């Protein structure tokens, strides 16, 4: 649909943010001929789910015991196993924690933990398959920060109560390493196309992550607001495939 609005040939940078990958492609569109010629591409293996990970890591995991300690036979305090929280923050890995072995391990650590209630809450969340509900709460907070300067992440289930205010500036500091990867990939796509920012006529952003103000700012800073466009963030790829199939 974006390409259909072009009135003359143009060189376009497309930023396509998926659930787990982000791709940046430089294309030469010729609306009269109805075709696009690829000039350069780069991508990174992170996108919206990485931003969810940052929120879980900073807000949720501490409430479920990540920063606590435990003891073995009265010995020195040991850190709670960090791998549980790495899995908690990745939706495709959380279900793998729901095994008798892992749940027993969490219960055993909780017996001598500095904050056993938090470890028990982690075990309950995993055993009762509440991961998707947690991810929905995290996603809602992330989405709210695209429109507001702050929001409150709220999640509750039985005895678990997580309520934490998050400022957009705070969230942007958490995702700064990810933004740096996006910025580097944009530069790589331009280099692969043999172009600088001045050689790009328009920028088109698609995918839900493009709503995040700090993501859009990467492109505005490089190309200027007048050249940055977006639309159909959740359906533009499907629409494009449908048009190609006509």
């Amino acid at each position: 649909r974006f390409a259909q609005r072009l009135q003359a040939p143009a060189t376009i940078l497309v930023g396509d943010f998926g659930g787990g990958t982000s791709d940046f492609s430089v294309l030469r569109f010729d609306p009269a001929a109805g075709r696009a010629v690829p000039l350069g591409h780069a991508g990174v293996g992170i996108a919206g789910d990485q931003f969810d990970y940052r929120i879980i890591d900073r807000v949720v995991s501490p409430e479920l015991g990540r920063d606590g300690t435990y003891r073995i036979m009265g010995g020195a305090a040991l850190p709670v196993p960090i791998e549980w929280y790495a899995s908690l923050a990745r939706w495709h890995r959380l279900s793998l924690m729901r095994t008798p072995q892992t749940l027993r391990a969490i219960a055993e650590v909780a017996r001598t933990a500095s904050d056993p209630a938090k470890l028990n809450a982690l075990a309950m969340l995993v055993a009762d398959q509440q991961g998707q509900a947690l991810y929905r709460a995290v996603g809602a907070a992330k989405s709210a920060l695209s429109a507001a300067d702050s929001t409150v992440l709220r999640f509750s289930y039985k005895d678990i109560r997580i309520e934490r205010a998050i400022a957009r500036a705070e969230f942007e500091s958490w995702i700064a390493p990810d933004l740096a990867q996006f910025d580097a990939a944009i530069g790589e796509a331009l280099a692969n196309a043999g172009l600088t920012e001045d050689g790009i006529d328009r920028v088109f952003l698609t995918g839900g992550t493009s709503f995040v103000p700090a993501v859009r700012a990467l492109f505005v800073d490089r190309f200027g607001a007048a050249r940055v466009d977006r639309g159909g963030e959740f359906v533009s790829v499907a629409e494009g495939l449908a048009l190609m199939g006509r």
Side-chain angles (χ1 to χ4, degrees):
R1 186 176 295 180
F2 170 76
Q4 289 180 316
R5 299 201 304 265
L6 295 175
Q7 301 298 313
T11 301
I12 312 296
L13 172 68
V14 178
D16 180 8
F17 298 92
T21 62
S22 298
D23 294 281
F24 308 97
S25 302
V26 180
L27 306 166
R28 181 66 180 175
F29 280 96
D30 184 345
R35 67 178 182 180
V37 177
L39 303 178
H41 169 268
V44 291
I46 59 172
D49 61 344
Q50 179 72 1
F51 292 178
D52 294 346
Y53 167 85
R54 298 296 185 188
I55 294 174
I56 292 173
D57 181 59
R58 296 297 186 123
V59 177
V60 177
S61 291
E63 295 299 317
L64 297 176
R66 184 199 61 197
D67 300 332
T69 60
Y70 74 107
R71 298 176 186 273
I72 298 176
M73 299 181 66
L78 301 171
V80 169
I82 195 66
E83 60 266 24
W84 296 338
Y85 302 93
S87 295
L88 173 69
R90 302 293 188 187
W91 65 267
H92 60 286
R93 291 172 57 183
L94 180 58
S95 61
L96 301 179
M97 292 180 65
R98 193 170 174 265
T99 65
Q101 180 181 3
T102 299
L103 293 173
R104 281 196 303 269
I106 296 173
E108 182 65 22
V109 168
R111 287 196 315 106
T112 60
S114 54
D115 196 335
K118 290 184 177 181
L119 270 297
N120 290 331
L122 171 65
M124 180 168 60
L125 184 142
V126 173
D128 292 358
Q129 297 180 287
Q130 290 301 302
Q132 290 303 317
L134 172 63
Y135 298 142
R136 284 195 296 271
V138 169
K142 180 181 68 175
S143 296
L145 288 171
S146 293
D149 290 333
S150 65
T151 191
V152 177
L153 187 155
R154 292 185 176 89
F155 174 77
S156 63
Y157 175 72
K158 293 184 178 178
D159 294 334
I160 303 174
R161 296 286 185 276
I162 298 174
E163 186 168 320
R164 163 74 146 78
I166 305 172
R168 181 190 290 174
E170 185 179 24
F171 171 63
E172 290 178 351
S173 73
W174 299 342
I175 65 173
D178 311 313
L179 297 174
Q181 288 195 56
F182 290 159
D183 196 48
I186 296 166
E188 183 181 351
L190 290 172
N192 290 339
L195 297 171
T196 66
E197 286 81 358
D198 291 339
I200 300 297
D201 299 309
R202 299 287 295 278
V203 176
F204 180 67
L205 306 180
T206 184
T209 301
S210 65
F211 282 110
V212 176
V215 171
R216 179 178 173 81
L218 288 177
F219 296 89
V220 171
D221 290 346
R222 274 183 177 265
F223 303 100
R227 282 189 280 172
V228 179
D229 197 0
R230 72 183 188 196
E233 285 82 357
F234 298 107
V235 298
S236 57
V237 173
E239 287 181 343
L241 292 172
L243 289 170
M244 290 171 62
R246 284 184 176 178

